[in-house]
């Protein structure tokens, strides 16, 4: 028998969002809204469990179900279906019916899919209060200057009740302590009360909040941190919760030795790892499974997705990296674009307006200006001059270019792939290379210069 059954209510329609998708599926910092309460619940169970999680689905249930199946195959979620959205108590009935284990858990933790700022610490403080005071149930509450829309906490003795806004008297509406929608209940207590709840209220819905009353050993535990309970009902609240999560992430990085110089202007997703001594300038966007080592400099406006940057490297302003690896002590940008499959070994230099794709550059290779390197391997210490291009695509297929170690490739050269250039070769500027050459070759392929002294005035219209 599990100690804790967690139920996440996710059946509601979310009409106030004014978007097509199901509310739990709206994007938030590279994930979906539902991922956040779910992660908080998983963290809590890991610390305090054993326990299980049930999710109540209703509106757009197939979409949500397939997302959760794909992403949580490893955690054994149970799904309940609420056929009609008749209120939060009705959703709990669906949970108790469809999750065979639910009634056997000692405690039931109820949370909503649209509260992404909850943390395991909040659940833990509910639990310790519950056990310490031998309570039957706790609702997490908070005080707010804008109670509109929330259920009001009406305190009695020893318990309390919750009055929904629509049902509240004018005096009750003035109450600023409100229900957050997060509850911890003794399952026994929940079972003894749930069938007695009716729908005689302004909405005609079955309110879960009616399980609390003024005479029972139940408590509203008031938290100071109003923001952690923010519910996402519209896209402005979604943006606010994104900002709070970003602030938390940046704070955690700063407390671990990362120089986040302008945390409000840097977007850093939760899975991004950054080593100490690294500087993150304003306006960066670091997302996905990105790992940045120690003592790296990321200048303003860099966009880095699912990439790996090794120690001592610098990514200069406004560079764009996606699924790229940057080896130690390398320099990229400003204004460089590293596309998927780019692998830079150590001390590589990529300068401004350079694009790479499926390209491996060995130690100390340099591409300093205005070049395209795609489907290629560039050897150690090789220098590609300004305006170098791998012509890798013939309209149907992609072809590979290999340039050996210690080569010099003059500016404005093109390789019509497939071509292999041996080590220590020299390609003269403005060459179009169509054939492979062996080590230590000199290659020049350009039109011969013709000069006609004095003829320029025929073409120029000088003043
Ligand atoms: C609820 C509380 C209110 C509290 C507020 C906090 C009730 C009756 N009221 O109001 O006291 O202050 O949350 O945000 O509970 N859901 C279902 N099935 C349903 C109805 C809702 O699964 O039939 C889910 C929704 O998807 C949502 C959650 O339950 O995740 C809360 O429902 P919502 O309609 O947003 O309740 P509120 O009116 O916000
Ligand atoms: Mg709500």
């Amino acid at each position: 028998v599990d100690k804790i059954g967690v139920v996440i209510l996710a059946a509601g329609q979310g009409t106030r969002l004014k978007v097509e998708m199901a509310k739990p599926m709206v994007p938030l910092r590279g994930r979906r809204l539902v991922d956040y309460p779910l992660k908080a619940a998983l963290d809590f169970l890991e610390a305090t469990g054993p326990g299980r999680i049930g999710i109540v689905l209703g509106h757009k249930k197939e979409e949500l179900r397939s997302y959760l199946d794909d992403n949580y195959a490893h955690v054994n979620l149970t799904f309940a279906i609420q056929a009609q959205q008749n209120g939060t108590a009705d959703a709990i009935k669906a949970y108790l019916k469809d999750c065979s284990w639910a009634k056997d858990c000692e405690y039931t933790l109820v949370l909503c899919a649209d509260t992404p700022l909850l943390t395991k610490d909040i659940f833990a403080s509910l639990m310790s209060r519950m056990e310490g005071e031998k309570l039957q149930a706790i609702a997490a509450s908070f005080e707010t200057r804008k109670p509109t829309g929330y259920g009001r906490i009406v305190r009695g003795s020893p318990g309390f009740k919750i009055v929904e806004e629509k049902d509240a008297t004018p005096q009750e509406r003035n109450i600023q302590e409100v229900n957050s929608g997060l509850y911890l209940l003794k399952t026994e207590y929940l079972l003894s009360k749930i069938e007695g709840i009716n729908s005689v209220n302004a909405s005609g819905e079955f309110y879960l909040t009616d399980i609390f009353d003024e005479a029972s050993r139940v408590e509203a535990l008031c938290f100071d941190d109003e923001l952690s309970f923010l519910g996402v009902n519209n896209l402005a609240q979604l943006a606010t919760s994104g900002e709070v999560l970003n602030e938390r992430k940046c704070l955690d990085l700063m407390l671990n030795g990362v120089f986040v110089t302008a945390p409000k202007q840097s977007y850093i997703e939760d899975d991004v790892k950054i080593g100490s001594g690294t500087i993150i300038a304003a306006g960066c966007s670091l997302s996905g499974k990105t790992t940045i080592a120690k003592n790296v400099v990321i200048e303003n406006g860099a966009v880095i997705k699912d990439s790996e940057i090794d120690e001592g490297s610098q990514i200069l302003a406004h560079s764009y990296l996606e699924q790229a690896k940057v080896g130690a002590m390398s320099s990229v940008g400003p204004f460089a674009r590293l596309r998927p499959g780019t692998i830079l070994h150590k001390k590589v230099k990529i300068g401004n307006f350079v694009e790479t794709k499926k390209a491996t550059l060995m130690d100390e290779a340099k591409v300093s200006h205005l070049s395209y390197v795609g489907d290629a391997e560039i050897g150690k210490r090789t220098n590609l001059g300004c305006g170098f291009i791998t012509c890798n695509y013939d309209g149907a297929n992609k072809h590979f270019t290999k340039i050996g170690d210690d080569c010099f490739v003059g500016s404005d050269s093109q390789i019509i792939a497939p071509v292999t250039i041996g080590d220590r070769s020299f390609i003269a500027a403005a060459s179009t290379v169509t054939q492979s050459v062996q080590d230590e070759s000199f290659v020049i392929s350009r039109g011969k210069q013709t000069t006609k002294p004095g003829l320029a005035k025929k073409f120029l219209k000088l003043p």
Side-chain angles (χ1 to χ4, degrees), residues 56-250:
V56 183
L57 307 176
H59 182 69
K60 300 216 167 155
K61 56 181 183 299
E62 294 79 15
E63 184 189 348
L64 188 52
R65 173 74 199 257
S66 79
Y67 175 77
L68 293 168
D69 280 342
D70 290 351
N71 289 278
Y72 294 90
H74 54 293
V75 293
N76 200 11
L77 301 175
T78 309
F79 297 99
I81 306 293
Q82 187 191 16
Q84 279 186 322
Q85 282 69 68
N86 290 331
T88 41
D90 181 60
I92 293 295
K93 283 186 199 165
Y95 160 73
L96 292 169
K97 181 167 144 291
D98 291 353
C99 300
S100 56
W101 43 265
K103 292 187 174 119
D104 298 329
C105 298
E106 187 182 354
Y107 296 99
T108 301
L109 179 71
V110 180
L111 51 141
C112 297
D114 63 357
T115 47
L117 302 178
L118 296 176
T119 61
K120 71 169 191 318
D121 296 343
I122 292 172
F123 305 153
S125 41
L126 292 180
M127 184 58 89
S128 75
R129 183 77 187 174
M130 185 95 164
E131 289 181 328
E133 301 290 313
K134 307 248 177 309
L135 297 166
Q136 295 296 320
I138 298 190
S141 67
F142 59 89
E143 284 185 354
T144 176
R145 285 196 289 153
K146 287 194 225 156
T148 314
Y150 288 109
R152 310 297 202 277
I153 303 289
V154 179
R155 288 188 176 263
S157 182
F160 72 98
K161 66 175 177 176
I162 298 174
V163 181
E164 290 305 306
E165 169 134 326
K166 284 184 185 167
D167 304 299
T169 63
Q171 287 94 320
E172 286 168 339
R173 280 188 198 193
N174 287 332
I175 296 173
Q176 296 192 327
E177 186 185 9
V178 299
N179 171 29
S180 72
L182 169 67
Y183 321 106
L184 181 63
L185 317 158
K186 289 281 250 188
T187 306
E188 238 174 26
Y189 179 79
L190 170 64
L191 294 172
S192 74
K193 290 280 196 174
I194 189 89
E195 293 303 332
I197 293 176
N198 62 45
S199 59
V200 185
N201 54 52
S203 313
E205 283 188 7
F206 294 90
Y207 291 161
L208 181 59
T209 46
D210 286 350
I211 58 172
F212 299 101
D213 63 60
E214 289 137 302
S216 298
R217 272 198 71 74
V218 295
E219 186 179 277
L221 185 59
C222 192
F223 286 78
D224 314 321
D225 179 20
E226 175 181 343
L227 214 46
S228 286
F229 297 95
L230 179 73
V232 171
N233 292 320
N234 59 46
L235 295 189
Q237 289 163 329
L238 183 71
T240 303
S241 51
E243 279 167 7
V244 174
L245 290 163
N246 198 60
E247 217 168 279
R248 287 182 187 170
K249 174 68 180 180
C250 289

Side-chain angles (χ1 to χ4, degrees), residues 144-446:
T144 176
R145 285 196 289 153
K146 287 194 225 156
T148 314
Y150 288 109
R152 310 297 202 277
I153 303 289
V154 179
R155 288 188 176 263
S157 182
F160 72 98
K161 66 175 177 176
I162 298 174
V163 181
E164 290 305 306
E165 169 134 326
K166 284 184 185 167
D167 304 299
T169 63
Q171 287 94 320
E172 286 168 339
R173 280 188 198 193
N174 287 332
I175 296 173
Q176 296 192 327
E177 186 185 9
V178 299
N179 171 29
S180 72
L182 169 67
Y183 321 106
L184 181 63
L185 317 158
K186 289 281 250 188
T187 306
E188 238 174 26
Y189 179 79
L190 170 64
L191 294 172
S192 74
K193 290 280 196 174
I194 189 89
E195 293 303 332
I197 293 176
N198 62 45
S199 59
V200 185
N201 54 52
S203 313
E205 283 188 7
F206 294 90
Y207 291 161
L208 181 59
T209 46
D210 286 350
I211 58 172
F212 299 101
D213 63 60
E214 289 137 302
S216 298
R217 272 198 71 74
V218 295
E219 186 179 277
L221 185 59
C222 192
F223 286 78
D224 314 321
D225 179 20
E226 175 181 343
L227 214 46
S228 286
F229 297 95
L230 179 73
V232 171
N233 292 320
N234 59 46
L235 295 189
Q237 289 163 329
L238 183 71
T240 303
S241 51
E243 279 167 7
V244 174
L245 290 163
N246 198 60
E247 217 168 279
R248 287 182 187 170
K249 174 68 180 180
C250 289
L251 182 65
D252 179 59
L253 290 169
M254 290 185 282
L255 297 181
N256 285 290
V258 179
F259 297 94
V260 183
T261 48
K264 284 204 193 327
Q265 296 161 45
S266 303
Y267 173 80
I268 307 178
E269 286 183 358
D270 297 341
D271 289 342
V272 174
K273 296 189 176 72
I274 307 180
S276 74
T278 286
I279 299 173
I280 310 291
C284 293
S285 170
L286 312 177
S287 62
K289 301 230 174 304
T290 288
T291 303
I292 300 175
K294 291 197 267 185
N295 302 322
V296 168
V297 176
I298 310 286
E299 284 194 352
N300 306 66
V303 175
I304 304 180
K305 305 177 179 181
D306 300 312
S307 294
E308 223 178 286
I309 320 284
D310 281 351
E311 231 174 297
S313 288
Q314 45 179 358
I315 308 298
L316 303 180
H318 303 289
S319 293
Y320 191 105
L321 283 69
E322 194 174 2
Q323 293 170 43
K325 284 189 179 182
V326 176
M329 309 298 287
S330 295
S331 177
V332 172
F335 303 101
R337 178 169 184 208
L338 306 191
R339 291 170 51 200
T342 295
I343 298 173
L344 309 186
H345 286 230
K346 293 194 182 88
K347 296 189 182 173
V348 171
K349 180 173 182 220
I350 300 289
N352 42 219
F353 308 110
V354 171
E355 173 181 343
T356 62
K357 184 218 71 173
K358 280 194 192 156
T360 300
L361 285 89
M362 308 306 281
D363 292 356
E364 296 181 57
K366 284 197 181 72
V367 197
S368 297
H369 339 261
L370 297 148
S371 292
Y372 173 60
V373 184
D375 300 298
E377 184 184 315
I378 310 299
K380 291 179 188 156
R381 295 171 298 275
T382 284
N383 183 82
L384 304 182
C386 178
F388 169 83
I389 295 171
T390 49
C391 306
N392 61 326
Y393 186 48
D394 60 13
N397 296 300
K398 302 281 166 67
H399 301 283
F400 194 73
T401 296
K402 182 171 181 342
I403 301 181
D405 295 343
D406 298 297
C407 292
F408 175 87
V409 179
S411 295
D412 190 31
S413 294
Q414 307 96 50
I415 303 273
I416 315 286
V419 161
T420 298
I421 306 287
D423 295 343
R424 297 177 300 285
S425 292
F426 188 107
I427 315 283
S431 292
T432 299
V433 183
T434 55
Q435 292 158 15
S436 295
V437 302
Q438 47 181 257
D439 292 355
E440 302 183 352
S441 299
F442 173 86
V443 178
I444 183 163
S445 85
R446 64 167 94 119

